[in-house]
Amino acid sequence: MSSAIDGVGRSAASSAAPKTPLLRVEGLTVAFRKDGREVRPVENLSFQIGHHERLGMVGESGSGKSLTSLAMLGLVDAPGLHVSGALEFDGRTYDLGSEALRRLRGDEISIIFQEPMTALDPVFTVGHQLREAIRRHRSVSRGEGKRLAIEALAGVGIPDPGRRYAEYPHQLSGGMRQRVMIAIAIACEPKLLLADEPTTALDVTTQAQILDLLRELNESRGMAIMLVSHDLGVIADLCDRVVCVYAGEVVEDASLEMALRAPSHPYLEGLLKAMPRVGSRGTQLYAIPGSVPAPGAAPRGCHFASRCSYAEDVCAEPQVLLPSRTGGSVRCVRHGELDLVGVSGDPHRSPAS
Amino acid sequence: MFRSIVKRLLTVVPTLLLASIVTFGLLKLIPGDPATVIAGDNATPARLAEIRGQLHLDESLPQQYGRWASHAIRGDLGTSLYSTTKIATTIQARLPATLQITLGALLLSVLIGIPLGFIAGWRSDSAIDKAARTISTVGIGIPNFWLGMLLVTVFALKLHWLPAVGFHGITGGLGQTAKYVVLPAIALGAASIAETTRQTRSAVLEVRNKDFVRTLRAIGLPNRTIFKHVAKNIAVPVFTVVGLQASRLLGATVIVEAVFGINGIGSLVVDSVSRRDYPMVQGVVLVMALLILFVNLVVDITYRIVDPRIR
Ligand SMILES: Nc1ncnc2c1ncn2[C@@H]1O[C@H](COP(=O)(O)OP(=O)(O)OP(=O)(O)O)[C@@H](O)[C@H]1O
Ligand code: SF4
Ligand SMILES: [Mg+2]
């Protein structure tokens, strides 16, 4: 075995399935009762994130991405929703349904959301909110807190941070607000940042800037990132590995390169086909037929069967995650026989161009 | 913020002008010859002339208004038609009792309604919330004269804890005053306590589910800090309801004053209206309008202080 092949093997393995993960989610299930029946918008979801890794979680709207990221921090608190499963972080195991996760919040794991306007308190200055986050983590005086806060604002690329410090969220642009949100989220120097559609509410230019900032934070601080988005373009821009979810289940887990070039699951293939491409302006965009089933309404076998053009009788059986040919895993009994088409060219193109 | 407060203060001027014109106009709404209406059908010509002179009915309307307003600014609201006492003096004598029970009721609304509503909203569907909801439904539905009589019967006549009727000026010490104020304030304020509880509860319920509360929890801040954020966010709706209650209470004292034998503004209005003492009614209405204007001003300024988006 030559060292070159060895090297390729190792890098492929580490990108598709990190050996000693920073975080492992095992069997995450979110359930609620509807008309006397238990439905599960997220079911038995398992995945892991490596140290310093940039993981993308992709899936159409309603596939359970937000519930997953909220559940990872014990933030699912809608009445009637029941969370179960386990989370292993840095060698310790937490019960996902318990309040024990609170210890991780704002300490080891942090989160930013889609809507930076509503995610910030409108009646306190951004400085006040940032200082609170800093002082929660470090016991510093008010004055020192202010100094650190202004420094943190500068650190996320906010010009004139001293002035911005005293401003209210409604005085900032959407991109600035998201930067503030990021500053607040990373004030505790977390090992992992969950970003739930952090750029969806922003224009394309701002979107790219925020992604750049996240990449820079990942590289300079070694902070792992889980980017949740319905937009594969955004994920392709930032991430090294992709977890594709459909109807509350992981359907494919692959390195970014493999996910883009050689998808193993028909759903991921569909998402790739639906991506707007450079030079395809004006041509009709592809869309996967149908839509994500409401929780509890998915077909009993392969949840994707009703929308899959490769569906056959075998697909009516419940599907399990299988090792894929590309070094990841896939939830499709037919994946070995299918020759799915990915996208060619540079995956790191700018999103939504 | 400072500039917007000054701006708001300036809007008081036109409002005042309007309020005074409306109040003045009250007298002009009387159909026919005001003097005859006021004095009654079988008044002597001498009495009619006297009233005409007192009201300056021979002058033009603007002249009459100018005269009335220029006196009013100096605190001179004229004289009652039935006595030689100055209207201002009478109001001055009656106002403290009304203000005391109004403020008492308002204080109860704030001290009970806001904390109760906060807890009920934060822990919706808990036992406390259910209790709070029941209490507010009862509080809003209960007629205040009935509650007043119940309170008098139980706490004054049966238990002898508190005096049944009367009023005690603040000069006699806060303790004495409080003794006389408690029961009428509860009777008057029950509905306001209930309304404040309800509105605070729904404000908390709404804010509690906002994204930023999730952010605060996500970054691991303690409940103490989260409460602070919620409190500042519900301040505007809560001040609004408290301001509304203040205006409502001022106008609602009349029945409670009757039940508790208090000589306040409420009873003064009733007496003056039934005696057709129009100048007195005019004076009282003007003073009430000023008070309500003042309350609204305070509420508006507080908005500007707590909510940066209103500045
Ligand atoms: N509190 C709740 N009660 C019941 N169902 C819920 C609740 N919250 C979410 N759901 C359902 O769970 C499913 C997954 O929701 P989730 O918000 O996680 O989707 P998502 O993948 O983040 O989609 P989006 O792109 O729209 O954000 C949806 O069908 C949604 O209707
Ligand atoms: S299991 Fe069948 S229906 Fe499901 S994705 Fe694979 S081919 Fe399509
Ligand atoms: Mg979502």
Side-chain angles (χ1 to χ4, degrees), chain A residues 155-156 182-183 186 193 210-225:
Chain A
V156 292
I182 292 172
I186 63 172
L193 178 69
I210 295 291
L211 292 177
D212 284 344
L213 172 63
L214 290 177
R215 181 181 306 108
E216 186 196 308
L217 290 170
N218 164 263
E219 280 162 4
S220 64
R221 300 182 177 218
M223 176 181 75
I225 290 176

Side-chain angles (χ1 to χ4, degrees), chain B residues 238-301:
Chain B
V238 167
F239 284 137
T240 306
V241 68
V242 170
L244 281 175
Q245 296 312 317
S247 310
R248 200 188 64 80
L249 289 170
L250 271 176
T253 56
V254 57
I255 292 170
V256 173
E257 284 178 20
V259 171
F260 288 90
I262 295 169
N263 274 330
I265 289 284
S267 46
L268 178 62
V269 171
V270 174
D271 293 349
S272 313
V273 169
S274 63
R275 290 198 304 190
R276 304 213 188 102
D277 192 348
Y278 280 91
M280 181 67 85
V281 174
Q282 219 173 21
V284 174
V285 170
L286 186 69
V287 169
M288 288 304 210
L290 285 182
L291 280 174
I292 289 171
L293 216 68
F294 175 72
V295 168
N296 287 340
L297 185 69
V298 170
V299 169
D300 265 14
I301 289 178

Side-chain angles (χ1 to χ4, degrees), chain A residues 241-300:
Chain A
R241 191 162 63 88
V242 178
V243 166
C244 178
V245 292
Y246 183 76
E249 288 182 335
V250 173
V251 295
E252 180 159 357
D253 184 336
S255 68
L256 177 76
E257 202 189 340
M258 287 306 161
L260 296 178
R261 282 221 313 251
S264 302
H265 197 281
Y267 179 55
L268 182 55
E269 183 193 43
L271 290 179
L272 288 165
K273 266 214 256 183
M275 265 202 326
R277 263 164 244 190
V278 188
S280 70
R281 211 178 294 270
T283 58
Q284 186 78 35
L285 271 185
Y286 171 82
I288 305 174
S291 57
V292 180
R300 284 204 52 233

Side-chain angles (χ1 to χ4, degrees), chain A residues 75 77 105-106 111 113 118-124 128 132 136 168 170 181 184, chain B residues 211-212 214-221 225 228-229 232-233 306-309 311:
Chain A
L75 287 172
D77 67 343
R105 292 214 287 261
I111 185 167
F113 303 105
T118 57
L120 293 170
D121 187 336
V123 302
F124 284 90
H128 183 105
E132 271 176 352
R136 136 101 171 93
Y168 289 90
H170 73 273
M181 196 51 232
I184 289 175
Chain B
D211 285 359
F212 73 79
R214 192 178 56 183
T215 303
L216 294 170
R217 295 207 291 132
I219 56 181
L221 291 171
T225 312
K228 185 184 76 186
H229 282 264
K232 200 169 176 195
N233 273 273
V306 296
D307 195 329
R309 290 163 300 182
R311 281 169 204 172

Side-chain angles (χ1 to χ4, degrees), chain A residues 8-326:
Chain A
V8 168
R10 206 186 313 121
S11 81
S14 70
S15 66
K19 276 196 194 91
T20 48
L22 170 68
L23 170 142
R24 222 155 57 86
V25 170
E26 252 330 302
L28 168 57
T29 301
V30 181
F32 65 97
R33 298 201 74 80
K34 189 179 159 197
D35 309 327
R37 200 164 65 95
E38 193 181 69
V39 294
R40 303 187 187 92
V42 178
E43 184 164 15
N44 200 11
L45 200 83
S46 303
F47 62 93
Q48 48 193 19
I49 304 172
H51 293 270
H52 319 317
E53 191 182 27
R54 299 191 295 242
L55 173 73
M57 179 174 278
V58 72
E60 285 165 295
S61 184
S63 46
K65 309 179 299 290
S66 293
L67 280 180
T68 300
S69 43
L70 290 175
M72 286 165 68
L73 284 176
L75 287 172
V76 174
D77 67 343
L81 283 188
H82 179 76
V83 180
S84 58
L87 181 143
E88 195 183 307
F89 188 86
D90 241 2
R92 286 184 62 167
T93 307
Y94 302 82
D95 178 354
L96 276 170
S98 73
E99 268 290 288
L101 283 173
R102 251 204 313 207
R103 251 173 296 156
L104 292 179
R105 292 214 287 261
D107 209 8
E108 305 278 11
I109 310 181
S110 227
I111 185 167
I112 56 174
F113 303 105
Q114 173 169 343
E115 246 316 322
M117 182 67 227
T118 57
L120 293 170
D121 187 336
V123 302
F124 284 90
T125 61
V126 298
H128 183 105
Q129 299 180 56
L130 183 50
R131 213 177 56 217
E132 271 176 352
I134 291 171
R135 292 182 72 196
R136 136 101 171 93
H137 182 64
R138 289 200 244 175
S139 46
V140 292
S141 69
R142 274 178 79 94
E144 179 69 359
K146 176 173 179 180
R147 197 186 60 76
L148 290 171
I150 293 177
E151 210 175 274
L153 288 176
V156 292
I158 289 181
D160 202 355
R163 184 164 67 89
R164 295 303 189 188
Y165 177 88
E167 288 188 344
Y168 289 90
H170 73 273
Q171 294 171 290
L172 306 182
S173 67
M176 284 299 153
R177 282 198 283 262
Q178 193 59 287
R179 284 176 194 270
V180 170
M181 196 51 232
I182 292 172
I184 289 175
I186 63 172
C188 61
E189 292 163 16
K191 295 200 180 96
L192 170 65
L193 178 69
L194 308 180
D196 185 356
E197 308 264 10
T199 60
T200 307
L202 306 173
D203 65 76
V204 183
T205 321
T206 319
Q207 183 169 311
Q209 288 168 356
I210 295 291
L211 292 177
D212 284 344
L213 172 63
L214 290 177
R215 181 181 306 108
E216 186 196 308
L217 290 170
N218 164 263
E219 280 162 4
S220 64
R221 300 182 177 218
M223 176 181 75
I225 290 176
M226 175 170 127
L227 176 68
V228 170
S229 180
H230 65 278
D231 184 348
L232 255 177
V234 168
I235 285 178
D237 222 27
L238 183 73
C239 301
D240 339 298
R241 191 162 63 88
V242 178
V243 166
C244 178
V245 292
Y246 183 76
E249 288 182 335
V250 173
V251 295
E252 180 159 357
D253 184 336
S255 68
L256 177 76
E257 202 189 340
M258 287 306 161
L260 296 178
R261 282 221 313 251
S264 302
H265 197 281
Y267 179 55
L268 182 55
E269 183 193 43
L271 290 179
L272 288 165
K273 266 214 256 183
M275 265 202 326
R277 263 164 244 190
V278 188
S280 70
R281 211 178 294 270
T283 58
Q284 186 78 35
L285 271 185
Y286 171 82
I288 305 174
S291 57
V292 180
R300 284 204 52 233
C302 171
H303 289 348
F304 187 56
S306 53
R307 303 171 69 189
C308 180
S309 54
Y310 310 101
E312 282 185 358
D313 289 350
V314 279
C315 307
E317 296 299 313
Q319 300 294 311
V320 292
L321 267 184
L322 306 164
S324 70
R325 284 184 299 185
T326 53

